[in-house]
Amino acid sequence: MNLTNEDVQEILQLLDATSFNELHLETDRFKLALRRDGAGEWTQTLQVVAQPSLLASAESPALSPAQVQPARGEATADTQLVEVRASLPGTFYRAPQPGAPPFVEIGAAVEATTVVCIIETMKLMNSIRAETRGSIAEICLADAQFAAKGAVLMRIRPEPG
Amino acid sequence: MLRRILIANRGEIAARIMRTCSRLGIETVLAASEADLDSVPARLADRVICIGLAASAASYLNVDAVMAAAHRCGAQAIHPGYGFLSENSRLARACAEQGIIFIGPDAEQLAAVGNKLSAREHALAAGVPVVPGGAVQTISEARSLAQSIGYPVLIKAVGGGGGRGMKPVQEAAVLDAMLQLAAAEAHAAFADERLYLERWIGGGRHVEVQILGDGNGVIHFGTRDCSIQRRFQKLVEEAPAPNLSDALRTDLHAAAVAFARHLHYRGLGTIEFLVDDRENYHFLEMNARIQVEHPVTEAICGVDLVAEQIAVAEGRPLRLRQQDIVFSGHAVECRINAEDWTRDFRPCPGILQQVEFPAGEGIRVDTHVQSGTQVPPYYDSLLAKLIVHGGDRPDALRRLNTALSRCHIRGVECNLGLHSALLETDDFHQGGVHTGWLPAFLERRLAGSLHG
């Protein structure tokens, strides 16, 4: 049995008639804590502790490790290269929209302000800039791959200037 | 009578639908992506079935995976919630063909309102005013139409929705470039680059009417105002829409019912209108699903809209007559999102350390998070909706003020501070701000913080 807003209202009506300022209720499905502040107003903390009851699906989708493991980018021996990292976790896109040419290819010359890829986080598209003048030396992720926060997306060979 | 429903959605709306189902004695099976197998809705559901990988395209947007899940668990119906497949005519058709009830309108009705241009034509046929404009197939057609309706104009995508493919054009000189941009965006978002033009109406309010139809009759549940929005994302909604004349309110109700009746609409739906400062109103579009902001209507009508939606989907006639819908008081909803509103609304996925909400009379919180919940980066940023109901608007706003101060969310950034800041403004207290108000408010604050 799950707890509803109406249930909480009913409990509060009972509590309002008492001098208790706190109530803890625990079942095998949820834990509820109700607290009354100095002004007589209530707050609630609800924790659903019931475990999900997973039904095995007929054909479970095939998962390749690359799809499950967010890419973190690989180490490189070349210490001259400057990394472009994901400031937020999200999906890495090389092009502004499906079917469009990629922002950059290996070898492309970039300015600090050049947009090199997009990270989609929570349905928002965030343009990622090179932040370094130089040329693209490495593209570390495949298009539409998931990038963890701080993942290395690309490496740039900086050019003085 | 339904015994088991598959919920093909996630987040707060999945939990919301389960509450009604559990009250009605209907079993729920949640169709969840891999990222949501341990979510609060997964814990609340009677059963959970995995429909694919975290990315929406591989799970929540996959019609075949949803249909397979429904058959696998023996569900008699699918509730699609909002977003994802909720207005997808392919899912509605697959359900009809495979003997499963789609809790929504039929495939033809979804197609009729999903195509924004055809929705416009239905509005005209139903005698509902639309914004002057029309379809454009070539640049020269667009030039002459824009000339005849007058600048500024708004380019819109026939595939429609979420502001994508939508471009305001101030003058003829930039029309060509904007049309190309809009077509590219529309193609990317909807795989449909058809466009239409409408006159740009500045200073307008977004007012909508909730309706319910059973295929024969249509009733309405009054107005909502959703003008506090940014980049076409609503932030605060209220019911009824404040500061409208009685005559206009009556007209809006009648127009919404006329539109739905013209379609012989069966299901829950919302007709959106643009209301200008001289109280002219224009049809914008219809949303053929339950909406995020439905709780404000439930609060003032005392009706469970999901229960009524399920009843008409089962093929039952309307259980309420128009005179049964009695409005009481005023309700406001704040969308609490995981985004840093002080840093250009940067999204903030992560783990919630503490989640505490207000409780008490006139307060409702619809949420899918609790302490320890991981907010995944794949989906939208909505954490919870705080809904307050008061005897009148000032009473609701007073209640909202103390309720907001009792919301405590730690672990990820959220927009609670923005809601408190909005509540401090005279304009919001006055009521009836237009859709440009929130962006202007944010700009003023930004300018203020830079100079101060």
Side-chain angles (χ1 to χ4, degrees):
Chain A
M1 170 89 197
N2 293 318
L3 194 74
T4 68
N5 199 44
E6 290 73 35
D7 297 333
V8 174
Q9 303 284 11
E10 277 182 41
I11 296 170
L12 286 180
Q13 278 171 13
L14 296 174
L15 281 175
D16 273 332
T18 74
S19 59
F20 295 111
N21 287 323
E22 212 164 312
L23 174 94
H24 294 265
L25 188 61
E26 259 188 74
T27 74
D28 56 348
R29 293 196 59 83
F30 63 85
K31 288 182 192 171
L32 173 72
L34 294 169
R35 289 183 192 87
R36 178 153 48 185
D37 64 18
E41 305 274 20
W42 292 95
T43 56
Q44 56 171 322
T45 313
L46 178 64
Q47 202 74 20
V48 182
V49 295
Q51 289 303 307
S53 164
L54 196 62
L55 197 67
S57 47
E59 61 239 73
S60 45
L63 306 175
S64 74
Q67 286 167 309
V68 181
Q69 280 295 318
R72 290 180 183 280
E74 285 155 31
T76 176
D78 193 337
T79 52
Q80 307 254 291
L81 301 182
V82 178
E83 291 164 339
V84 180
R85 288 176 179 270
S87 53
L88 287 170
T91 309
F92 170 80
Y93 290 112
R94 290 193 53 197
Q97 50 192 256
F103 290 104
V104 291
E105 297 284 3
I106 304 255
V110 293
E111 298 295 327
T113 54
T114 306
V115 173
V116 292
C117 63
I118 285 175
I119 294 285
E120 181 192 357
T121 307
M122 294 179 135
K123 292 169 80 180
L124 278 181
M125 301 294 183
N126 303 286
S127 301
I128 307 293
R129 292 173 200 283
E131 307 296 353
T132 303
R133 183 166 185 265
S135 62
I136 302 291
E138 237 183 285
I139 296 172
C140 309
L141 270 69
D143 191 49
Q145 201 174 354
F146 188 79
K149 184 175 177 175
V152 178
L153 307 171
M154 294 185 186
R155 289 192 175 88
I156 297 175
R157 186 168 304 282
E159 250 169 54
Chain B
M1 183 69 200
L2 296 175
R3 279 178 294 106
R4 187 176 298 151
I5 286 181
L6 182 80
I7 298 176
N9 213 302
R10 65 178 305 281
E12 66 86 19
I13 194 63
R16 157 73 189 88
I17 295 162
M18 283 171 205
R19 268 206 312 276
T20 291
C21 289
S22 120
R23 192 168 60 75
L24 298 176
I26 302 172
E27 263 180 52
T28 54
V29 181
L30 182 71
S33 80
E34 280 200 339
D36 287 330
L37 293 178
D38 194 35
S39 62
V40 169
R43 291 162 181 268
L44 293 172
D46 292 305
R47 290 268 193 290
V48 182
I49 189 161
C50 182
I51 53 163
L53 300 169
S56 306
S59 47
Y60 296 112
L61 291 173
N62 183 340
V63 172
D64 297 332
V66 167
M67 290 307 297
H71 288 300
R72 170 93 181 102
C73 70
Q76 296 146 309
I78 296 177
H79 198 306
Y82 53 66
F84 297 127
L85 295 174
S86 60
E87 294 174 276
N88 184 294
S89 49
R90 237 194 93 213
L91 178 63
R93 196 166 299 118
C95 283
E97 285 164 5
Q98 297 172 38
I100 287 174
I101 292 173
F102 176 76
I103 302 179
D106 65 34
E108 287 68 33
Q109 291 170 344
L110 282 175
V113 300
N115 176 318
K116 302 304 166 194
L117 203 53
S118 110
R120 243 183 91 91
E121 277 149 23
H122 282 295
L124 284 169
V128 176
V130 300
V131 182
V136 288
Q137 267 151 15
T138 64
I139 301 246
S140 66
E141 258 181 46
R143 281 194 203 123
S144 67
L145 181 63
Q147 209 60 52
S148 72
I149 60 180
Y151 285 91
V153 297
L154 187 62
I155 306 172
K156 291 181 161 184
V158 171
R164 284 172 299 182
M166 218 185 259
K167 300 277 166 205
V169 183
Q170 300 300 328
E171 48 175 17
V174 291
L175 180 67
D176 295 13
M178 286 303 197
L179 281 168
Q180 280 173 15
L181 210 58
E185 257 187 48
H187 178 76
F190 316 112
D192 178 354
E193 53 187 46
R194 286 176 300 157
L195 301 173
Y196 64 106
L197 286 188
E198 280 182 352
R199 186 195 289 155
W200 165 263
I201 295 178
R205 289 170 61 184
H206 175 126
V207 178
E208 56 187 36
V209 177
Q210 176 75 62
I211 61 97
L212 177 74
D214 63 3
N216 296 308
V218 177
I219 55 172
H220 72 81
F221 298 85
T223 53
R224 289 189 290 256
D225 190 311
C226 312
S227 303
I228 299 189
Q229 45 178 271
R230 177 187 163 272
R231 297 192 183 164
F232 304 101
Q233 297 294 315
K234 298 165 185 172
L235 189 70
V236 179
E237 302 100 340
E238 50 188 302
N243 306 351
L244 294 182
S245 69
D246 288 344
L248 175 60
R249 201 180 299 279
T250 308
D251 285 352
L252 289 172
H253 294 162
V257 168
F259 182 82
R261 226 175 235 147
H262 165 78
L263 290 176
H264 300 284
Y265 192 77
R266 184 181 49 76
L268 196 62
T270 299
I271 326 286
E272 296 187 352
F273 297 97
L274 185 65
V275 175
D276 72 17
D277 47 12
R278 281 175 301 176
E279 290 216 327
N280 297 309
Y281 67 95
H282 309 275
F283 170 87
L284 280 181
E285 60 178 59
M286 177 173 193
N287 297 309
R289 53 173 156 81
I290 185 95
Q291 279 192 287
V292 178
E293 59 269 27
H294 76 277
V296 287
T297 299
E298 293 186 325
I300 63 162
C301 296
V303 172
D304 180 339
L305 290 173
V306 173
E308 298 312 310
Q309 183 188 28
I310 291 173
V312 297
E314 283 177 283
R316 288 197 250 171
L318 291 173
R319 301 185 287 194
L320 297 161
R321 296 164 302 168
Q322 190 61 58
Q323 60 264 39
D324 297 329
I325 313 298
V326 181
F327 303 109
S328 143
H330 196 91
V332 182
E333 172 181 282
C334 292
R335 298 193 190 188
I336 302 172
N337 298 330
E339 59 192 11
D340 186 350
W341 69 283
T342 64
R343 293 170 69 195
D344 199 30
F345 293 82
R346 180 189 167 100
C348 297
I351 294 175
L352 291 165
Q353 263 118 45
Q354 189 204 354
V355 178
E356 194 174 43
F357 288 117
E361 199 196 335
I363 294 173
R364 166 176 169 184
V365 179
D366 281 16
T367 186
H368 62 114
V369 298
Q370 61 188 22
S371 302
T373 295
Q374 170 113 36
V375 182
Y378 312 100
Y379 315 110
D380 69 35
S381 60
L382 184 63
L383 296 177
K385 306 184 304 200
L386 169 64
I387 304 107
V388 295
H389 183 209
D392 55 18
R393 192 168 185 272
D395 185 37
L397 294 186
R398 265 195 302 277
R399 198 160 269 177
L400 179 60
N401 193 26
T402 76
L404 274 171
S405 70
R406 283 178 286 143
C407 291
H408 299 288
I409 293 176
R410 284 184 234 293
V412 306
E413 292 298 324
C414 74
N415 63 353
L416 279 167
L418 173 56
H419 287 297
S420 297
L422 293 179
L423 207 49
E424 282 170 17
T425 63
D426 291 339
D427 290 342
F428 183 53
H429 273 269
Q430 194 74 42
V433 300
H434 59 81
T435 53
W437 181 81
L438 177 64
F441 168 82
L442 292 166
E443 248 171 60
R444 279 198 307 276
R445 262 189 90 92
L446 190 63
S449 70
L450 290 178
H451 297 134

